[in-house]
Amino acid sequence: METLDSAISTPSRSTDSKPQTSSPLPPSALRLWRPNAQRNLRNQWSELASCKNRWFSASSAGRFQATALVNSHLSQRYMPDMKLGVLSDMPGIRKQACLKLYKRQELQRSKLLLSYKEMVGIVSHMINLSRSMKCFVKVPNNSPLLQFSYNSADRSDSVDGGDGGGIPVFTFYSITSHEKFAEELVEMFKLELCLKRLLVLEFLSIGYDTSEVKQLHWSAQLYDDEFRDLRDCNLYCEVTNGPVPPRLRDGKSDIGALRFDNQPNPEVLQVYLTTWLAEANIDTLRVDEIFAVVEEEMHVSIC
Amino acid sequence: MEDIVKKFQNKFRKVREEMKQWDELQSCLISQFRNASHIVERLQVLQNSNNYGVLKCVGGMRDALLEKQIESFRNILVSMKKTLEKFHCIVLSLDKIHRDSRQQVKGGSYNLSVKQLQQQVGIKPSLIYCLDSLMFIHEIYNSEYMLKSSVISALSEMALNPSASDLSALQQLLVDQPNLHTEEGMFELSVW
């Protein structure tokens, strides 16, 4: 939880403390800064928009896999009582069918995991984009030309805070305001990613026998280097040595009570699938609003 | 006479276009209805907090999920009303086609006699028969539109009091379109 919160507040705090009116840049430099900053913001926002679209297609692919997985599992569970009509005379037909369904479920597990991995990658990319909105001015030693950089790693040798002294980049909004919009957006996807992770864990554990289920817990790595990726997303808590627990925007979580069930009843499975579909942490109206405001500000259409 | 027959042929061509558009809207409305009724069916399961399994560890999940689902249900209802609006436009256009034709034949410049109206050339139907058909087509589509409106308003009330059997009955009504007896309605069209 701490890692999440500190990530949100640090960038805005450092820029907000600067006085908004006085710019450390001379007017001539500022005149050059603005088009560069504008170009950078346009690029970052259109990338963010494409990330958002990629997220929704990855999420719906994941839902498709999860639904198929649940169906394979339920068919296996119902197989002993299924009326097979004329087929019931065939020797070992139920066993064969179950084996086939089991194999299919294995395949669907790995596909679901791929969708999850893709979503992790998207969120990580979105975070990078939201942190690359500043435009730093650099004055090289032996050159009269100004250089511009969008990488906060270059912050040390740049002559300003990267925000043009807080002036509006287009019409109304400063770099800080753009960053705030982007953070608000990214935050929704981060929270949703944690929730999806919980669902993925649950979908992966259904149908496994109990000994294997014990190995699946919140701090288990779902794929190689998952925790490295989650650290990139600020979703790994070093204090608890595990991924940040799932929660809703204004809610809490109680991960201590977490028990994965390998034979959940169909109603519970339906709730899981609905939760995947509903994306409770992503306020779609607000997302659209943010992109609309930014488009209006930048005079481009990015969605 | 030749002239007016051509005009009628055009009218029926227009009617056929409207019907084609009606069919497109029909499949759109049915998929919207299916999505909405999936949500309504789910609501009862979602309301029961015992169905949340591992999601119980996420505080406020049940309320958030219900809120999201009801929001999507409302959105679907809004788009269904828009689809209904388009159905209504078709009904209005069919009405206009019928009234215009009547105007042309009875009050317009042609001033045809009753005998001419009833005259049948070859296998082609008489003008009076065509007029009646246009009126009939408008009437059946109008009744079907009214039926669809009441089905949709029944659906919007059902969110509060869901019943799976009622939902499937309503869906069947939408699919069947009981007011449209296509064989009768289409007869004139095939002749022209």
Side-chain angles (χ1 to χ4, degrees):
Chain A
M1 207 60 50
E2 268 94 5
T3 45
L4 250 182
D5 288 339
S6 60
I8 310 162
S9 46
T10 33
S12 49
R13 206 183 294 143
S14 62
T15 42
D16 273 350
S17 57
K18 283 192 186 305
Q20 296 282 303
T21 42
S22 71
S23 166
L25 295 174
S28 60
L30 212 52
R31 210 165 46 236
L32 288 171
W33 174 84
R34 185 173 260 179
N36 278 285
Q38 289 182 345
R39 192 169 53 235
N40 179 45
L41 279 183
R42 282 202 187 102
N43 289 339
Q44 309 299 2
W45 275 112
S46 77
E47 265 292 287
L48 276 172
S50 91
C51 280
K52 177 200 75 171
N53 296 337
R54 272 168 53 214
W55 166 281
F56 288 125
S57 59
S59 172
S60 84
R63 183 168 59 90
F64 180 77
Q65 298 305 339
T67 312
L69 193 153
V70 164
N71 286 336
S72 306
H73 168 67
L74 289 178
S75 305
Q76 285 174 75
R77 230 203 269 179
Y78 297 148
M79 190 55 77
D81 303 322
M82 223 175 257
K83 290 199 176 75
L84 296 180
V86 287
L87 291 177
S88 49
D89 291 340
M90 288 178 76
I93 180 90
R94 286 179 208 272
K95 214 177 149 197
Q96 282 290 321
C98 275
L99 190 66
K100 196 143 196 188
L101 286 166
Y102 181 79
K103 279 186 184 158
R104 193 179 295 167
Q105 198 183 336
E106 283 288 292
L107 192 69
Q108 284 148 351
R109 276 196 187 108
S110 59
K111 284 186 180 167
L112 176 64
L113 211 47
L114 278 180
S115 297
Y116 167 71
K117 193 177 172 184
E118 196 186 341
M119 288 194 272
V120 175
I122 293 168
V123 170
S124 154
H125 189 44
M126 286 176 100
I127 291 172
N128 282 336
L129 293 168
S130 73
R131 287 179 186 160
S132 315
M133 298 209 146
K134 288 194 172 73
C135 176
F136 298 95
V137 182
K138 286 168 58 171
V139 189
N141 290 334
N142 46 9
S143 158
L145 290 173
L146 289 176
Q147 284 183 359
F148 295 91
S149 158
Y150 313 112
N151 191 342
S152 51
D154 296 345
R155 177 180 280 199
S156 49
D157 58 332
S158 77
V159 293
D160 70 331
D163 62 349
I167 59 159
V169 186
F170 291 88
T171 325
F172 299 112
Y173 297 112
S174 65
I175 292 276
T176 314
S177 313
H178 280 276
E179 283 179 332
K180 277 191 180 144
F181 282 133
E183 270 162 35
E184 187 184 346
L185 189 76
V186 169
E187 195 55 26
M188 294 187 209
F189 286 87
K190 276 166 74 179
L191 285 171
E192 188 58 28
L193 185 66
C194 291
L195 193 57
K196 290 267 197 283
R197 186 176 193 273
L198 179 66
L199 293 170
V200 168
L201 258 172
E202 179 61 34
F203 285 131
L204 293 183
S205 46
I206 56 170
Y208 269 129
D209 58 46
T210 34
S211 59
E212 286 167 306
V213 172
K214 275 183 196 141
Q215 292 160 10
L216 272 177
H217 48 87
W218 184 249
S219 335
Q221 199 157 225
L222 296 183
Y223 60 87
D224 289 344
D225 291 332
E226 189 203 1
F227 288 169
R228 186 202 60 199
D229 293 348
L230 289 180
R231 273 195 194 93
D232 289 346
C233 299
N234 241 314
L235 288 177
Y236 188 85
C237 179
E238 304 292 349
V239 181
T240 59
N241 269 324
V244 171
R247 65 180 178 96
L248 296 175
R249 200 170 357 152
D250 311 309
K252 291 180 186 156
S253 71
D254 180 15
I255 202 89
L258 196 62
R259 291 279 174 281
F260 290 104
D261 184 0
N262 63 333
Q263 299 278 320
N265 67 40
E267 286 78 25
V268 174
L269 290 170
Q270 195 177 15
V271 170
Y272 290 161
L273 289 173
T274 312
T275 307
W276 186 289
L277 168 74
E279 312 219 272
N281 277 311
I282 298 177
D283 180 349
T284 29
L285 283 180
R286 180 64 187 149
V287 170
D288 293 346
E289 190 181 49
I290 288 176
F291 278 107
V293 165
V294 170
E295 278 186 341
E296 170 93 16
E297 173 80 4
M298 304 194 302
H299 305 293
V300 284
S301 99
I302 49 177
C303 289
Chain B
M1 201 61 189
E2 272 296 303
D3 196 25
I4 197 156
V5 167
K6 269 214 180 84
K7 276 195 174 143
F8 263 86
Q9 278 174 326
N10 280 334
K11 303 272 182 212
F12 276 95
R13 202 167 296 136
K14 250 195 241 166
V15 167
R16 215 176 292 157
E17 274 162 25
E18 297 289 355
M19 286 175 165
K20 207 174 142 208
Q21 210 206 331
W22 178 284
D23 291 343
E24 280 160 20
L25 288 175
Q26 165 76 355
S27 53
C28 169
L29 187 71
I30 285 173
S31 85
Q32 286 167 336
F33 188 90
R34 286 216 177 100
N35 290 338
S37 64
H38 283 321
I39 294 180
V40 173
E41 281 165 3
R42 276 200 293 258
L43 281 180
Q44 273 177 319
V45 176
L46 298 183
Q47 269 159 356
N48 184 351
S49 47
N50 290 327
N51 289 335
Y52 278 74
V54 290
L55 289 171
K56 280 184 198 132
C57 74
V58 181
M61 194 65 233
R62 179 178 162 272
D63 292 346
L65 200 54
L66 282 172
E67 196 186 313
K68 269 269 178 177
Q69 288 286 283
I70 288 170
E71 186 189 305
S72 332
F73 180 69
R74 285 215 189 97
N75 288 341
I76 299 175
L77 272 187
V78 169
S79 17
M80 285 181 107
K81 290 203 172 120
K82 278 182 195 152
T83 314
L84 268 185
E85 205 48 51
K86 289 181 194 157
F87 275 117
H88 193 212
C89 287
I90 294 183
V91 170
L92 291 178
S93 152
L94 288 174
D95 185 35
K96 192 176 180 318
I97 293 174
H98 167 241
R99 275 187 294 110
D100 285 355
S101 317
R102 174 168 299 261
Q103 186 69 25
Q104 272 175 356
V105 171
K106 295 210 165 149
S109 48
Y110 294 102
N111 213 355
L112 297 168
S113 68
V114 179
K115 205 178 166 202
Q116 277 172 309
L117 284 177
Q118 290 171 340
Q119 189 183 9
Q120 206 174 336
V121 184
I123 56 154
K124 284 185 178 165
S126 65
L127 290 179
I128 196 83
Y129 183 77
C130 291
L131 270 185
D132 288 348
S133 303
L134 285 176
M135 186 173 72
F136 177 70
I137 291 171
H138 165 248
E139 270 171 11
I140 60 175
Y141 276 85
N142 190 37
S143 322
E144 192 55 40
Y145 162 70
M146 308 283 244
L147 177 69
K148 285 191 196 310
S149 313
S150 46
V151 168
I152 305 304
S153 57
L155 173 72
S156 58
E157 280 158 30
M158 206 169 274
L160 306 168
N161 188 16
S163 135
S165 59
D166 285 1
L167 271 178
S168 60
L170 285 182
Q171 183 172 323
Q172 205 51 50
L173 265 183
L174 275 193
V175 173
D176 282 352
Q177 309 205 89
N179 287 297
L180 307 184
H181 333 275
T182 37
E183 316 82 49
E184 292 175 49
M186 287 301 162
F187 174 69
E188 308 72 38
L189 293 178
S190 60
V191 170
W192 282 94

